[in-house]
Amino acid sequence: MRRVLLDERGSVTAEFAVAVPAVIVVLALGVGVLGSASTAVRLQHVSAESARLLGRGDDARAFAAIGDIGASMSVSRRDGLVCVDASAPVPLSVPLPPVSARACALDGGE
């Protein structure tokens, strides 16, 4: 006769049930960080493009480029430069701060 307390049936299932949520959390954070990095690269590219467009005096296309990715921007002109500060939220619902980028170009428009 076997003792019930020494029976190991179901222990793998219990260990799996404990490990799965941790694996899911790590995967979700990994996907969130990759999404944030992708957004940062895209935002840096678009802010540099917008700064060049604003420097040439093409304000409409500059604001459209930033609006296409759902970002907000502020423009400052000083010392012959036009600088764009852009900010965008992380696309996934992961608790990460918004991504920001700054780019400057020569101001030939004004």
Side-chain angles (χ1 to χ4, degrees):
M1 195 155 115
R2 292 179 59 180
R3 292 178 61 187
V4 177
L5 295 176
L6 297 178
D7 191 10
E8 293 184 9
R9 286 184 290 166
S11 64
V12 172
T13 304
E15 291 170 3
F16 184 73
V18 169
V20 166
V23 170
I24 289 173
V25 166
V26 168
L27 285 175
L29 286 175
V31 168
V33 167
L34 287 175
S36 177
S38 171
T39 301
V41 168
R42 189 172 180 200
L43 188 63
Q44 182 63 44
H45 175 72
V46 170
S47 63
E49 179 184 359
S50 294
R52 286 190 298 271
L53 288 169
L54 287 167
R56 291 190 315 206
D58 195 357
D59 294 3
R61 284 183 54 198
F63 288 109
I66 289 287
D68 285 346
I69 64 169
S72 60
M73 77 173 190
S74 64
V75 178
S76 62
R77 295 177 188 264
R78 185 176 46 183
D79 298 330
L81 291 176
V82 58
C83 294
V84 173
D85 292 309
S87 177
V90 177
L92 303 172
S93 60
V94 179
L96 293 173
V99 178
S100 62
R102 179 177 173 87
C104 297
L106 289 175
D107 190 8
E110 294 179 17

